[in-house]
Coordinates of all heavy atoms in Angstrom, one line a residue:
M1 N -83.5 3.0 -20.0 CA -82.1 3.3 -20.0 C -81.4 2.3 -18.9 O -80.3 1.8 -19.2 CB -81.8 4.7 -19.7 CG -80.4 5.1 -19.8 SD -80.0 6.7 -20.4 CE -79.9 7.7 -19.0
L2 N -82.1 2.2 -17.7 CA -81.5 1.3 -16.7 C -81.4 -0.2 -17.2 O -80.4 -0.8 -16.9 CB -82.3 1.3 -15.5 CG -81.9 0.5 -14.3 CD1 -80.5 1.0 -13.8 CD2 -83.0 0.7 -13.1
V3 N -82.4 -0.7 -18.0 CA -82.3 -2.1 -18.5 C -81.1 -2.1 -19.5 O -80.5 -3.1 -19.4 CB -83.7 -2.4 -19.2 CG1 -83.5 -3.6 -20.0 CG2 -84.7 -2.3 -18.2
G4 N -80.9 -1.1 -20.3 CA -79.8 -1.1 -21.3 C -78.4 -1.3 -20.6 O -77.5 -2.0 -20.8
L5 N -78.3 -0.5 -19.4 CA -77.2 -0.4 -18.6 C -76.9 -1.8 -17.9 O -75.7 -2.4 -17.9 CB -77.1 0.6 -17.5 CG -76.0 0.8 -16.7 CD1 -74.7 1.1 -17.4 CD2 -76.2 2.0 -15.5
V6 N -78.0 -2.4 -17.4 CA -77.9 -3.7 -16.8 C -77.4 -4.7 -17.8 O -76.6 -5.5 -17.5 CB -79.2 -4.1 -16.1 CG1 -79.2 -5.5 -15.6 CG2 -79.5 -3.2 -14.9
C7 N -78.0 -4.7 -19.0 CA -77.6 -5.7 -20.0 C -76.1 -5.5 -20.5 O -75.4 -6.5 -20.6 CB -78.5 -5.5 -21.3 SG -80.2 -6.1 -21.1
C8 N -75.6 -4.2 -20.4 CA -74.3 -4.1 -20.9 C -73.3 -4.6 -19.8 O -72.3 -5.3 -20.1 CB -74.0 -2.6 -21.1 SG -74.7 -2.0 -22.6
L9 N -73.7 -4.3 -18.5 CA -72.8 -4.7 -17.4 C -72.9 -6.2 -17.3 O -71.9 -6.8 -17.0 CB -73.3 -4.1 -16.0 CG -72.9 -2.7 -15.8 CD1 -73.6 -2.1 -14.6 CD2 -71.5 -2.5 -15.9
Y10 N -74.0 -6.9 -17.6 CA -74.1 -8.4 -17.5 C -73.1 -8.9 -18.5 O -72.4 -9.9 -18.3 CB -75.5 -8.9 -17.7 CG -75.5 -10.4 -17.7 CD1 -75.5 -11.1 -16.6 CD2 -75.7 -11.1 -19.0 CE1 -75.5 -12.5 -16.7 CE2 -75.8 -12.4 -19.0 CZ -75.8 -13.1 -17.9 OH -75.8 -14.6 -17.9
G11 N -73.0 -8.3 -19.7 CA -72.2 -8.8 -20.7 C -70.7 -8.7 -20.4 O -69.9 -9.5 -20.8
V12 N -70.4 -7.7 -19.6 CA -69.0 -7.5 -19.2 C -68.6 -8.4 -18.0 O -67.5 -9.0 -18.0 CB -68.8 -6.0 -18.8 CG1 -67.5 -5.7 -18.1 CG2 -68.9 -5.1 -20.0
I13 N -69.4 -8.7 -17.1 CA -69.1 -9.5 -15.9 C -69.4 -10.9 -15.9 O -69.0 -11.7 -15.1 CB -69.7 -8.9 -14.6 CG1 -71.2 -8.8 -14.6 CG2 -69.2 -7.4 -14.4 CD1 -71.9 -8.4 -13.4
R14 N -70.3 -11.4 -16.8 CA -70.6 -12.8 -16.9 C -69.5 -13.5 -17.3 O -68.6 -13.2 -18.3 CB -71.8 -13.0 -17.8 CG -71.5 -13.1 -19.2 CD -72.8 -13.3 -20.0 NE -72.6 -12.9 -21.3 CZ -72.2 -13.7 -22.3 NH1 -71.9 -14.9 -22.0 NH2 -72.0 -13.2 -23.5
P15 N -69.2 -14.7 -16.8 CA -68.1 -15.5 -17.2 C -68.2 -16.1 -18.6 O -69.3 -16.4 -19.0 CB -67.9 -16.7 -16.1 CG -69.3 -16.8 -15.5 CD -69.8 -15.4 -15.7
D16 N -67.2 -16.4 -19.3 CA -67.3 -16.9 -20.6 C -67.3 -18.4 -20.4 O -66.7 -19.0 -19.5 CB -66.0 -16.6 -21.5 CG -66.0 -15.2 -21.9 OD1 -67.0 -14.6 -22.1 OD2 -64.8 -14.7 -22.1
Q17 N -68.0 -19.1 -21.4 CA -68.1 -20.5 -21.3 C -66.9 -21.1 -22.0 O -66.4 -20.6 -23.0 CB -69.2 -21.0 -22.0 CG -70.5 -20.7 -21.3 CD -71.8 -21.3 -21.9 OE1 -71.8 -21.5 -23.2 NE2 -72.8 -21.5 -21.1
A18 N -66.3 -22.2 -21.3 CA -65.2 -22.8 -21.9 C -65.6 -23.7 -23.0 O -66.7 -24.3 -23.1 CB -64.5 -23.8 -20.8
E19 N -64.8 -23.8 -24.0 CA -65.0 -24.7 -25.2 C -63.9 -25.7 -25.4 O -62.7 -25.4 -25.0 CB -65.2 -23.9 -26.5 CG -66.2 -22.8 -26.4 CD -66.4 -22.0 -27.8 OE1 -65.8 -22.5 -28.8 OE2 -67.0 -21.0 -27.8
S20 N -64.2 -27.0 -25.6 CA -63.2 -27.8 -25.9 C -63.6 -28.6 -27.2 O -64.6 -28.5 -27.8 CB -63.2 -28.9 -24.7 OG -64.5 -29.5 -24.6
A21 N -62.5 -29.4 -27.5 CA -62.6 -30.2 -28.8 C -63.8 -31.2 -28.6 O -64.1 -31.7 -27.4 CB -61.4 -31.0 -29.0
T22 N -64.4 -31.5 -29.7 CA -65.7 -32.3 -29.6 C -65.3 -33.9 -29.5 O -66.2 -34.6 -29.1 CB -66.6 -32.0 -30.8 OG1 -65.9 -32.2 -31.9 CG2 -67.1 -30.7 -30.7
G23 N -64.2 -34.2 -30.0 CA -63.8 -35.7 -30.0 C -62.5 -36.0 -29.5 O -61.6 -35.0 -29.4
A24 N -62.2 -37.1 -29.1 CA -61.0 -37.6 -28.7 C -60.0 -37.8 -29.8 O -60.3 -38.1 -31.0 CB -61.1 -38.9 -27.9
T25 N -58.8 -37.6 -29.6 CA -57.7 -37.7 -30.5 C -57.3 -39.2 -30.5 O -56.9 -39.7 -29.4 CB -56.5 -36.8 -30.3 OG1 -56.9 -35.5 -30.3 CG2 -55.4 -37.1 -31.3
P26 N -57.4 -39.9 -31.7 CA -57.0 -41.4 -31.7 C -55.4 -41.4 -31.5 O -54.7 -40.6 -32.1 CB -57.3 -41.8 -33.0 CG -57.9 -40.8 -33.7 CD -57.9 -39.5 -32.9
V27 N -55.0 -42.3 -30.7 CA -53.6 -42.5 -30.4 C -53.2 -43.9 -30.6 O -54.1 -44.9 -30.5 CB -53.2 -42.1 -29.0 CG1 -53.4 -40.6 -28.8 CG2 -53.9 -42.8 -27.9
V28 N -51.9 -44.3 -30.8 CA -51.3 -45.6 -30.7 C -50.3 -45.5 -29.6 O -49.9 -44.4 -29.1 CB -50.7 -45.9 -32.0 CG1 -51.7 -46.1 -33.1 CG2 -49.5 -44.8 -32.5
V29 N -49.9 -46.6 -29.1 CA -49.0 -46.8 -28.1 C -47.7 -47.3 -28.6 O -47.7 -48.4 -29.3 CB -49.5 -47.7 -26.9 CG1 -48.4 -47.7 -25.8 CG2 -50.7 -47.1 -26.3
Y30 N -46.6 -46.7 -28.4 CA -45.3 -47.1 -28.8 C -44.5 -47.5 -27.5 O -44.4 -46.8 -26.6 CB -44.6 -46.0 -29.5 CG -43.1 -46.4 -30.0 CD1 -42.9 -47.3 -30.9 CD2 -42.0 -45.8 -29.3 CE1 -41.6 -47.7 -31.2 CE2 -40.7 -46.2 -29.6 CZ -40.6 -47.1 -30.6 OH -39.2 -47.5 -30.8
T31 N -43.8 -48.7 -27.6 CA -42.9 -49.1 -26.6 C -41.5 -48.7 -26.9 O -40.9 -49.1 -28.0 CB -43.2 -50.6 -26.2 OG1 -44.5 -50.8 -26.0 CG2 -42.3 -51.0 -25.1
V32 N -40.8 -47.9 -26.1 CA -39.5 -47.5 -26.4 C -38.6 -48.8 -26.3 O -38.6 -49.6 -25.4 CB -39.0 -46.5 -25.2 CG1 -37.6 -46.1 -25.4 CG2 -40.0 -45.2 -25.3
Q33 N -37.7 -48.7 -27.3 CA -36.7 -49.8 -27.4 C -35.3 -49.2 -27.0 O -35.1 -48.1 -27.0 CB -36.6 -50.3 -29.0 CG -38.0 -50.7 -29.6 CD -38.5 -51.9 -28.9 OE1 -37.8 -52.8 -28.6 NE2 -39.7 -51.8 -28.3
P34 N -34.5 -50.2 -26.7 CA -33.2 -49.7 -26.2 C -32.5 -49.0 -27.3 O -32.6 -49.3 -28.6 CB -32.3 -51.1 -26.1 CG -33.5 -52.1 -25.7 CD -34.6 -51.7 -26.5
G35 N -31.9 -47.9 -27.0 CA -31.1 -47.0 -28.0 C -32.1 -45.9 -28.5 O -31.6 -45.0 -29.1
D36 N -33.4 -45.9 -28.4 CA -34.3 -45.0 -28.9 C -34.0 -43.6 -28.2 O -33.8 -43.6 -26.8 CB -35.8 -45.4 -28.6 CG -36.3 -46.3 -29.5 OD1 -35.7 -46.6 -30.4 OD2 -37.5 -46.7 -29.3
T37 N -34.1 -42.5 -28.9 CA -34.1 -41.2 -28.3 C -35.4 -40.5 -28.8 O -36.1 -41.0 -29.8 CB -32.9 -40.3 -28.8 OG1 -33.1 -40.1 -30.2 CG2 -31.6 -41.0 -28.5
L38 N -35.9 -39.6 -28.1 CA -37.1 -38.9 -28.4 C -37.0 -38.3 -29.8 O -37.9 -38.4 -30.6 CB -37.5 -38.1 -27.4 CG -39.0 -37.4 -27.4 CD1 -40.0 -38.5 -27.4 CD2 -39.3 -36.4 -26.4
W39 N -35.9 -37.7 -30.0 CA -35.7 -37.0 -31.3 C -35.7 -38.0 -32.5 O -36.4 -37.8 -33.4 CB -34.3 -36.2 -31.2 CG -34.1 -35.6 -32.5 CD1 -33.5 -36.0 -33.7 CD2 -34.6 -34.2 -32.9 NE1 -33.5 -35.0 -34.7 CE2 -34.2 -34.0 -34.2 CE3 -35.3 -33.1 -32.2 CZ2 -34.5 -32.7 -34.9 CZ3 -35.7 -32.2 -32.9 CH2 -35.3 -31.9 -34.2
D40 N -35.1 -39.2 -32.3 CA -34.9 -40.1 -33.4 C -36.3 -40.7 -33.6 O -36.8 -40.8 -34.8 CB -34.1 -41.2 -33.2 CG -32.6 -40.9 -33.2 OD1 -32.3 -39.8 -33.9 OD2 -31.7 -41.6 -32.6
Y41 N -37.1 -41.0 -32.6 CA -38.5 -41.5 -32.7 C -39.3 -40.4 -33.4 O -40.1 -40.8 -34.3 CB -39.0 -42.0 -31.4 CG -40.6 -42.5 -31.7 CD1 -40.7 -43.7 -32.4 CD2 -41.5 -41.9 -31.1 CE1 -41.9 -44.1 -32.6 CE2 -42.8 -42.3 -31.4 CZ -43.0 -43.5 -32.1 OH -44.3 -43.9 -32.3
A42 N -39.3 -39.1 -32.9 CA -40.1 -38.1 -33.5 C -39.8 -38.0 -34.9 O -40.6 -37.7 -35.8 CB -39.8 -36.9 -32.6
S43 N -38.5 -38.0 -35.3 CA -38.1 -37.9 -36.7 C -38.7 -39.0 -37.6 O -39.1 -38.8 -38.7 CB -36.5 -38.1 -36.8 OG -36.0 -37.0 -36.1
S44 N -38.9 -40.3 -37.0 CA -39.4 -41.3 -37.8 C -40.9 -41.2 -37.9 O -41.4 -41.7 -38.9 CB -39.0 -42.6 -37.2 OG -39.8 -42.8 -35.9
I45 N -41.6 -40.4 -37.1 CA -43.0 -40.4 -37.2 C -43.5 -38.9 -37.9 O -44.7 -38.8 -38.1 CB -43.8 -40.6 -36.0 CG1 -43.4 -39.7 -34.8 CG2 -43.5 -42.0 -35.5 CD1 -44.4 -39.7 -33.7
T46 N -42.5 -38.0 -38.0 CA -43.0 -36.8 -38.6 C -43.0 -36.8 -40.1 O -42.1 -37.3 -40.8 CB -41.9 -35.7 -38.1 OG1 -41.6 -35.7 -36.7 CG2 -42.2 -34.2 -38.7
P47 N -44.3 -36.3 -40.6 CA -44.2 -36.3 -42.1 C -43.1 -35.5 -42.7 O -42.4 -34.7 -42.1 CB -45.6 -35.5 -42.3 CG -46.3 -35.6 -41.1 CD -45.3 -35.7 -40.0
A48 N -42.9 -35.8 -44.1 CA -41.8 -35.2 -44.8 C -41.7 -33.7 -44.7 O -40.7 -33.1 -44.6 CB -41.6 -35.7 -46.1
D49 N -42.9 -33.1 -44.7 CA -43.0 -31.7 -44.7 C -43.3 -31.1 -43.2 O -43.5 -29.9 -43.1 CB -44.2 -31.2 -45.6 CG -45.5 -31.7 -45.2 OD1 -45.6 -32.8 -44.4 OD2 -46.6 -31.2 -45.7
G50 N -43.2 -32.0 -42.4 CA -43.5 -31.5 -41.0 C -42.2 -31.1 -40.2 O -41.1 -31.1 -40.8
D51 N -42.4 -30.6 -39.0 CA -41.4 -30.1 -38.1 C -41.1 -31.1 -36.9 O -42.0 -31.2 -36.2 CB -41.8 -28.7 -37.7 CG -40.7 -28.0 -36.8 OD1 -39.7 -28.7 -36.5 OD2 -40.9 -26.8 -36.4
V52 N -40.0 -31.7 -36.9 CA -39.6 -32.6 -35.8 C -39.7 -32.0 -34.5 O -40.2 -32.6 -33.4 CB -38.2 -33.2 -36.0 CG1 -37.8 -34.1 -35.0 CG2 -38.2 -33.9 -37.4
N53 N -39.3 -30.7 -34.4 CA -39.5 -30.0 -33.1 C -40.9 -29.9 -32.6 O -41.1 -30.1 -31.4 CB -39.0 -28.5 -33.1 CG -37.5 -28.4 -33.3 OD1 -36.8 -29.1 -32.4 ND2 -37.0 -27.6 -34.1
E54 N -41.9 -29.8 -33.5 CA -43.3 -29.9 -33.1 C -43.8 -31.2 -32.6 O -44.5 -31.3 -31.7 CB -44.2 -29.2 -34.2 CG -44.0 -27.8 -34.5 CD -45.0 -27.4 -35.6 OE1 -45.8 -28.1 -36.1 OE2 -44.7 -26.2 -36.0
T55 N -43.4 -32.2 -33.3 CA -43.5 -33.6 -32.9 C -43.0 -33.9 -31.5 O -43.7 -34.5 -30.7 CB -43.0 -34.7 -33.9 OG1 -43.5 -34.3 -35.3 CG2 -43.3 -36.0 -33.6
V56 N -41.8 -33.5 -31.3 CA -41.1 -33.7 -30.0 C -41.9 -33.0 -28.9 O -42.3 -33.6 -27.9 CB -39.7 -33.2 -29.9 CG1 -39.2 -33.1 -28.5 CG2 -38.8 -34.1 -30.9
D57 N -42.4 -31.7 -29.2 CA -43.2 -30.9 -28.2 C -44.4 -31.6 -27.9 O -45.0 -31.7 -26.8 CB -43.3 -29.5 -28.8 CG -42.1 -28.7 -28.7 OD1 -41.1 -29.1 -28.0 OD2 -42.2 -27.6 -29.4
T58 N -45.2 -32.2 -28.9 CA -46.4 -32.9 -28.8 C -46.2 -34.1 -27.9 O -47.0 -34.4 -27.0 CB -47.0 -33.3 -30.2 OG1 -47.2 -32.0 -31.0 CG2 -48.2 -34.0 -30.0
L59 N -45.2 -34.8 -28.2 CA -45.0 -36.1 -27.3 C -44.7 -35.8 -26.1 O -45.1 -36.4 -25.1 CB -43.8 -36.9 -28.1 CG -44.0 -37.5 -29.4 CD1 -42.7 -38.1 -30.1 CD2 -45.1 -38.5 -29.3
V60 N -43.8 -34.8 -25.7 CA -43.6 -34.3 -24.3 C -45.0 -34.0 -23.7 O -45.1 -34.4 -22.5 CB -42.6 -33.2 -24.4 CG1 -42.5 -32.6 -22.9 CG2 -41.2 -33.8 -24.7
R61 N -45.8 -33.2 -24.4 CA -46.9 -32.7 -23.7 C -48.0 -33.8 -23.4 O -48.4 -33.8 -22.3 CB -47.6 -31.6 -24.6 CG -48.9 -31.0 -24.1 CD -49.4 -29.9 -25.0 NE -49.2 -30.1 -26.4 CZ -50.0 -30.7 -27.2 NH1 -51.0 -31.5 -26.7 NH2 -49.7 -30.9 -28.5
I62 N -48.2 -34.6 -24.4 CA -49.3 -35.6 -24.2 C -48.9 -36.7 -23.3 O -49.7 -37.4 -22.7 CB -49.9 -36.1 -25.6 CG1 -48.9 -37.0 -26.4 CG2 -50.5 -35.0 -26.4 CD1 -49.6 -37.7 -27.5
N63 N -47.5 -36.9 -23.1 CA -47.1 -38.0 -22.3 C -46.7 -37.4 -20.9 O -46.0 -38.2 -20.1 CB -46.0 -38.8 -23.0 CG -46.5 -39.6 -24.0 OD1 -47.1 -40.7 -23.8 ND2 -46.3 -39.2 -25.3
N64 N -46.8 -36.1 -20.7 CA -46.4 -35.5 -19.4 C -44.9 -35.8 -19.1 O -44.6 -36.2 -18.0 CB -47.3 -35.9 -18.3 CG -48.7 -35.4 -18.6 OD1 -48.9 -34.2 -19.0 ND2 -49.7 -36.3 -18.4
L65 N -44.0 -35.7 -20.1 CA -42.7 -36.1 -19.9 C -41.9 -34.9 -19.1 O -42.1 -33.7 -19.5 CB -41.9 -36.4 -21.2 CG -42.5 -37.5 -22.0 CD1 -41.8 -37.7 -23.3 CD2 -42.5 -38.9 -21.2
D66 N -41.1 -35.2 -18.1 CA -40.4 -34.2 -17.4 C -39.0 -33.9 -18.2 O -38.4 -32.9 -18.0 CB -40.0 -34.7 -16.0 CG -41.2 -34.9 -15.1 OD1 -42.2 -34.1 -15.3 OD2 -41.1 -35.7 -14.2
S67 N -38.6 -34.8 -19.0 CA -37.5 -34.5 -19.9 C -37.5 -35.3 -21.2 O -38.5 -36.0 -21.4 CB -36.1 -35.0 -19.1 OG -36.1 -36.5 -19.2
V68 N -36.6 -35.2 -22.1 CA -36.7 -35.9 -23.4 C -35.9 -37.2 -23.2 O -35.9 -38.0 -24.3 CB -36.1 -35.1 -24.5 CG1 -36.9 -33.8 -24.7 CG2 -34.6 -34.7 -24.2
S69 N -35.5 -37.6 -22.1 CA -34.9 -38.9 -21.9 C -35.8 -39.9 -21.9 O -36.9 -39.9 -21.2 CB -34.1 -38.9 -20.6 OG -33.0 -38.0 -20.6
L70 N -35.6 -41.1 -22.6 CA -36.5 -42.3 -22.7 C -35.9 -43.5 -21.9 O -34.6 -43.6 -22.0 CB -37.0 -42.6 -24.0 CG -37.5 -41.5 -24.8 CD1 -37.9 -41.9 -26.3 CD2 -38.9 -41.1 -24.3
R71 N -36.7 -44.3 -21.5 CA -36.2 -45.6 -20.9 C -36.8 -46.9 -21.7 O -37.9 -46.8 -22.1 CB -36.7 -45.9 -19.4 CG -36.2 -44.8 -18.5 CD -36.9 -45.1 -17.0 NE -38.3 -45.4 -17.2 CZ -39.3 -44.4 -17.1 NH1 -39.2 -43.2 -17.3 NH2 -40.6 -45.0 -17.2
P72 N -35.9 -47.8 -22.0 CA -36.4 -49.0 -22.7 C -37.6 -49.5 -21.9 O -37.7 -49.6 -20.7 CB -35.3 -49.9 -22.6 CG -34.1 -49.1 -22.7 CD -34.6 -48.0 -21.7
G73 N -38.7 -49.9 -22.7 CA -40.0 -50.4 -22.0 C -41.0 -49.3 -21.8 O -42.1 -49.7 -21.4
Q74 N -40.6 -48.1 -21.7 CA -41.5 -46.9 -21.5 C -42.5 -46.9 -22.6 O -42.1 -47.2 -23.8 CB -40.7 -45.7 -21.4 CG -41.4 -44.4 -21.1 CD -40.5 -43.2 -21.0 OE1 -39.4 -43.2 -21.3 NE2 -41.2 -42.1 -20.8
R75 N -43.8 -46.6 -22.3 CA -44.8 -46.6 -23.2 C -45.1 -45.1 -23.6 O -45.3 -44.4 -22.7 CB -46.0 -47.3 -22.9 CG -45.6 -48.8 -22.7 CD -46.7 -49.6 -22.0 NE -47.8 -49.6 -23.0 CZ -49.0 -50.2 -22.8 NH1 -49.2 -50.8 -21.6 NH2 -49.9 -50.2 -23.7
L76 N -45.2 -44.8 -24.8 CA -45.5 -43.4 -25.2 C -46.9 -43.5 -25.9 O -47.1 -44.3 -26.8 CB -44.5 -42.8 -26.2 CG -43.1 -42.7 -25.7 CD1 -42.1 -42.2 -26.8 CD2 -43.1 -41.7 -24.5
L77 N -47.8 -42.5 -25.7 CA -49.0 -42.2 -26.4 C -48.5 -41.4 -27.6 O -47.9 -40.4 -27.5 CB -50.1 -41.6 -25.6 CG -50.5 -42.3 -24.4 CD1 -51.5 -41.3 -23.7 CD2 -51.2 -43.5 -24.9
V78 N -49.1 -41.8 -28.8 CA -48.5 -41.1 -30.1 C -49.8 -40.9 -30.8 O -50.6 -41.7 -31.1 CB -47.6 -42.1 -30.9 CG1 -47.2 -41.3 -32.3 CG2 -46.5 -42.4 -30.1
P79 N -50.1 -39.5 -31.2 CA -51.3 -39.3 -32.0 C -51.2 -40.0 -33.4 O -50.2 -40.1 -34.1 CB -51.3 -37.7 -32.2 CG -50.2 -37.2 -31.3 CD -49.3 -38.4 -30.9
E80 N -52.3 -40.7 -33.8 CA -52.4 -41.2 -35.2 C -52.4 -40.1 -36.1 O -52.9 -39.0 -36.0 CB -53.6 -42.1 -35.3 CG -53.6 -43.4 -34.7 CD -54.8 -44.3 -35.0 OE1 -55.9 -43.7 -35.4 OE2 -54.6 -45.5 -34.8
R81 N -51.8 -40.4 -37.3 CA -51.8 -39.4 -38.5 C -52.6 -39.8 -39.5 O -52.9 -41.0 -39.8 CB -50.3 -39.3 -38.9 CG -49.5 -38.8 -37.8 CD -48.6 -37.7 -38.2 NE -47.8 -37.1 -37.1 CZ -47.9 -36.0 -36.6 NH1 -48.6 -35.1 -37.2 NH2 -47.1 -35.7 -35.6

């Protein structure tokens, strides 16, 4: 009975192992042009049945953007589709 209790407690207190994706996501690099906005660029790369908001969120996240403002010459990592 003691062995069973120890096994149960071990299952409760042992840390879970972290899991991550097995492969890298292929990306392309886009250089921001004068007049580009993040929304316009995201709209141009979002599939017809996709959500532009999700594309904007993804671009902000993977490029560690503090805002949605872009500067000409800035380089953005963009997931390949």
Side-chain angles (χ1 to χ4, degrees):
M1 186 147 87
L2 182 60
V3 172
L5 180 60
V6 169
C7 288
C8 288
L9 287 175
Y10 177 74
V12 170
I13 61 172
R14 75 179 164 91
D16 290 333
Q17 291 184 330
E19 295 181 21
S20 63
T22 57
T25 301
V27 296
V28 296
V29 177
Y30 175 74
T31 303
V32 176
Q33 302 300 307
D36 280 351
T37 67
L38 191 58
W39 182 267
D40 288 341
Y41 180 66
S43 295
S44 73
I45 63 170
T46 301
D49 61 342
D51 182 353
V52 178
N53 285 316
E54 288 180 14
T55 304
V56 169
D57 291 343
T58 298
L59 292 172
V60 167
R61 182 176 34 81
I62 68 173
N63 288 284
N64 297 315
L65 299 177
D66 294 330
S67 74
V68 295
S69 297
L70 300 176
R71 298 177 318 277
Q74 182 178 4
R75 297 174 65 180
L76 298 176
L77 297 177
V78 181
E80 281 187 341
R81 299 227 180 239

